[in-house]
Amino acid sequence: MGSNRETGPGMSSWNHVGTGCLLLALSILGCTRHAPPPPAAGATPRLQAARVGSTPQGPVTVLLTAELLGYTEPCGCTVELQEGGIDRLATAVRQARQESSASILLDGGDLLTGEVPIPAGRRDQELLRQELLLSLFGELGYDGLVPGEIEAGLPGGLPALDEVLRRHGLTRVQSNLAASPSGPTRESLLLEGGGLRLGVLGLSDPALLTLPAETDRRSPAWLPLTRDLVARQVAGLRGLGATQILVIGHTDRRTARRLLEGQTGIDFWLVAHGSQDTTEVEQVGEAHLLELWTQGRRLGRLELTPGEDPGGPLVPARDPATDGQAAGVQRRIDHLRRGLALLTAPAQEELRQQRASLLTEAEAELAALQRRPPPGTPGSFRWRLVSLGEQVPRDPTVEQRRLAFNRSLVELAHRRTEQAPPPPPGGSRYLGAASCRPCHEQEHAQWLTTPHATALERLAARGKDFDDECVGCHVTGYRQPGGAVLGQLGPLAGVGCESCHGPASRHAETPDEVEMPPAKVDPGVCTACHNQRHSPRFDPATYQPKVLGPGHGQPSVATPVATD
């Protein structure tokens, strides 16, 4: 980030200054704790870091986001998914900064959209979404963004992304580049504040890349993630005087554990890909693994309170989750003790020893939880996830920009000339549920009682009925041969009969000659939309019966016969 950026209320006060490429000595200056191994022969690490100015002594708050996936507001079928939104994020960031004398704001990637490559018909919308999100992140004062496979797979790849980042004063942090970084890219950050020097590495797993042909030659190569590469980068930051090191790893949890095996010098590792909704902090060696949930539903807060020795290890502080963990461990201990009391036969001695070993481990785990100090104790840290639910007010300015973005999508849709692809020769077009009613009146009446019938209306009530990212799961035959496209939905609004049973024009023309597919619907039809991202609790066996009724998977209701 440029050192001349002006700061305002709620914005970062960190003053970034590029230090250029540095050749690092093998000694670890100013820190004797967990010295990492020296670089391999012939592989002296280079490090291009961005430094920041100092702030008053005291706790440092590191604010973290990841896997926003382009969501500007909440999306999902269940109550717990109605969290998030960029307007709530803005409020939460500004409130956190008011509560801390020193704060850092970082993102772990997969920020701009939910899939790559972006369908050609959606690129105009995605450019607007990208501009909205990156301009907001620039105004909030993000200190660094670690790219994920989404950013690498955008049209033009990372070089095109860098142009936008530069325009908004943002810095890309990429520690496993094959080539020397340039433009707004840094291999690492060194952030000074509150008596700490926090070194930040950004590692993006190339195994996640699915680059389209148009970007694979333009995007700088990502080096494979190895323990040796990580150790060299850690040594580099320690050599610059980092007292704590945070790795933002755009990797899954399994890869993070593998890279941390036998590793020294890392204090925290944020899992920024495929993360779970948990506040549990897992310790792997010296490092603490942290996770964030997806779609901007949480803001991570890592609160660091240095002790007398700024380079000393930080221990986790107590929080409400600690009490829950302790209760769970106590239940496990009670269960093991009851089981041991029953293992009295000589033939059970081996099993008894195994259970006794598990009991010893559980008792040690409980003791460690009970020893945790209160939050704010010198030499401690606290990790918590701030839920961006209704309790967080929407920032009014950002809310207006979000609503303006939704309105701009309507204008784009009206200018489009896209047509749905034609059905194959002899194939059927989609007609809409109203065309089924004359012959299937009971089924149609049952469908009208389900949320599927009003799916698009509910989307329209939120102003999202022209968002390509959303519409496909709220209409029938979206972008399918003979189906619907944005701005030309007509009778295909709502999740109608043909969403499950397929296009019906030929059946409607000659019902005796052309039969529809079997009535039983494959669960995969449902999970195309009711997936882990939008319906994490969806179970076909539980929810499919909810759309059934008389004549629709259940016995028909007989129509009374008129009599004289």
Side-chain angles (χ1 to χ4, degrees):
M1 294 161 78
S3 60
N4 351 338
R5 171 188 287 176
E6 296 180 3
T7 59
M11 294 179 63
S12 173
S13 60
W14 302 99
N15 179 28
H16 287 237
V17 181
T19 61
C21 293
L22 304 173
L23 293 178
L24 302 174
L26 300 183
S27 60
I28 306 304
L29 305 178
C31 178
T32 58
R33 180 168 68 98
H34 45 221
T44 303
R46 65 175 188 275
L47 191 69
Q48 189 179 51
R51 290 182 181 273
V52 296
S54 61
T55 60
Q57 189 80 13
V60 173
T61 299
V62 185
L63 304 174
L64 295 161
T65 56
E67 291 190 288
L68 186 64
L69 300 174
Y71 283 81
T72 60
E73 57 191 271
C75 174
C77 303
T78 53
V79 173
E80 67 267 24
L81 299 187
Q82 300 308 307
E83 298 173 314
I86 56 175
D87 35 19
R88 290 175 180 158
L89 173 63
T91 296
V93 166
R94 286 167 176 148
Q95 287 179 344
R97 286 207 160 125
Q98 289 172 359
E99 298 168 5
S100 175
S101 60
S103 62
I104 304 164
L105 182 56
L106 303 163
D107 184 78
D110 286 356
L111 162 66
L112 299 173
T113 186
E115 64 172 322
V116 289
I118 298 170
R122 231 176 66 198
R123 289 188 178 181
D124 52 358
Q125 289 198 2
E126 294 308 316
L127 286 173
L128 287 179
R129 195 187 313 273
Q130 173 180 297
E131 183 65 21
L132 171 66
L133 293 174
L134 292 179
S135 64
L136 174 63
F137 273 39
E139 291 166 17
L140 288 176
Y142 269 76
D143 296 286
L145 283 73
V146 178
E149 70 278 8
I150 292 293
E151 284 74 33
L154 292 171
L158 294 174
L161 174 68
D162 283 346
E163 290 301 318
V164 186
L165 293 180
R166 184 184 291 106
R167 182 152 43 87
H168 293 294
L170 292 166
T171 297
R172 171 159 68 98
V173 185
Q174 188 90 63
S175 306
N176 59 316
L177 282 175
S180 297
S182 60
T185 303
R186 297 289 181 271
E187 284 190 316
S188 61
L189 300 177
L190 186 60
L191 308 168
E192 300 182 32
L196 295 177
R197 289 182 176 178
L198 179 66
V200 179
L201 296 175
L203 298 175
S204 305
D205 190 353
L208 300 173
L209 291 177
T210 54
L211 293 179
E214 66 180 277
T215 64
D216 59 3
R217 290 187 299 274
R218 302 184 199 176
S219 298
W222 293 353
L223 293 173
L225 297 182
T226 65
R227 286 190 284 271
D228 183 58
L229 179 144
V230 175
R232 293 200 306 270
Q233 292 287 13
V234 169
L237 278 175
R238 291 288 179 187
L240 290 177
T243 57
Q244 306 287 331
I245 289 184
L246 164 67
V247 174
I248 299 181
H250 198 86
T251 68
D252 57 27
R253 194 181 187 100
R254 181 178 178 181
T255 300
R257 288 195 188 102
R258 173 179 62 80
L259 293 170
L260 286 169
E261 289 177 6
Q263 196 73 250
T264 58
I266 297 174
D267 298 277
F268 304 99
W269 184 298
L270 175 70
V271 177
H273 177 84
S275 56
Q276 304 299 311
D277 184 24
T278 176
T279 56
E280 182 179 350
V281 177
E282 178 186 358
Q283 186 159 356
V284 181
E286 295 178 350
H288 298 89
L289 276 184
L290 316 173
E291 291 197 61
L292 281 171
W293 208 14
T294 63
Q295 298 179 32
R297 300 186 187 113
R298 304 283 187 271
L299 173 66
R301 288 187 60 158
L302 177 60
E303 298 163 0
L304 310 176
T305 306
E308 292 184 7
D309 175 11
L314 301 181
V315 299
R318 293 186 66 86
D319 61 16
T322 303
D323 297 333
Q325 293 174 35
V329 176
Q330 184 63 63
R331 287 192 294 271
R332 196 185 338 142
I333 290 172
D334 295 341
H335 175 75
L336 288 168
R337 285 174 176 167
R338 289 193 297 268
L340 277 171
L342 300 175
L343 299 174
T344 57
Q348 296 175 315
E349 181 58 27
E350 183 178 353
L351 180 59
R352 177 179 176 80
Q353 291 180 4
Q354 292 175 354
R355 294 291 176 86
S357 177
L358 291 174
L359 176 60
T360 301
E361 292 176 4
E363 289 173 338
E365 183 180 352
L366 179 63
L369 288 170
Q370 292 173 337
R371 285 196 302 270
R372 289 187 177 183
T377 301
S380 71
F381 76 88
R382 181 168 66 156
W383 169 249
R384 57 193 176 112
L385 299 180
V386 178
S387 172
L388 301 184
E390 292 183 355
Q391 79 283 1
V392 178
R394 299 182 186 277
D395 180 284
T397 302
V398 179
E399 180 180 26
Q400 290 305 310
R401 288 168 62 181
R402 175 179 61 81
L403 296 175
F405 166 73
N406 290 343
R407 291 191 296 270
S408 70
L409 301 184
V410 180
E411 299 171 8
L412 277 182
H414 289 322
R415 293 202 299 266
R416 282 184 177 178
T417 58
E418 182 185 9
Q419 299 290 326
S428 286
R429 295 175 293 102
Y430 288 85
L431 298 176
S435 297
C436 305
R437 180 177 180 178
C439 298
H440 303 279
E441 189 168 353
Q442 288 190 355
E443 293 92 327
H444 186 272
Q446 167 63 19
W447 171 74
L448 287 174
T449 68
T450 70
H452 284 162
T454 56
L456 187 64
E457 294 175 25
R458 296 197 308 279
L459 201 60
R462 299 175 56 177
K464 301 297 287 182
D465 51 327
F466 283 86
D467 192 329
D468 234 319
E469 186 90 9
C470 308
V471 171
C473 285
H474 291 255
V475 301
T476 302
Y478 192 64
R479 287 216 166 107
Q480 298 300 309
V485 293
L486 200 62
Q488 301 178 43
L489 302 178
L492 301 182
V495 180
C497 314
E498 295 160 294
S499 295
C500 298
H501 300 291
S505 64
R506 292 189 64 234
H507 172 71
E509 293 164 0
T510 54
D512 295 333
E513 298 178 15
V514 180
E515 295 185 358
M516 292 297 289
K520 188 174 182 180
V521 176
D522 187 290
V525 174
C526 307
T527 55
C529 285
H530 293 284
N531 52 33
Q532 280 298 307
R533 184 181 295 179
H534 301 131
S535 302
R537 291 189 286 137
F538 181 78
D539 171 47
T542 301
Y543 285 90
Q544 277 188 345
K546 296 180 182 294
V547 301
L548 304 180
H552 188 228
Q554 294 180 4
S556 299
V557 176
T559 302
V561 178
T563 58
D564 293 334

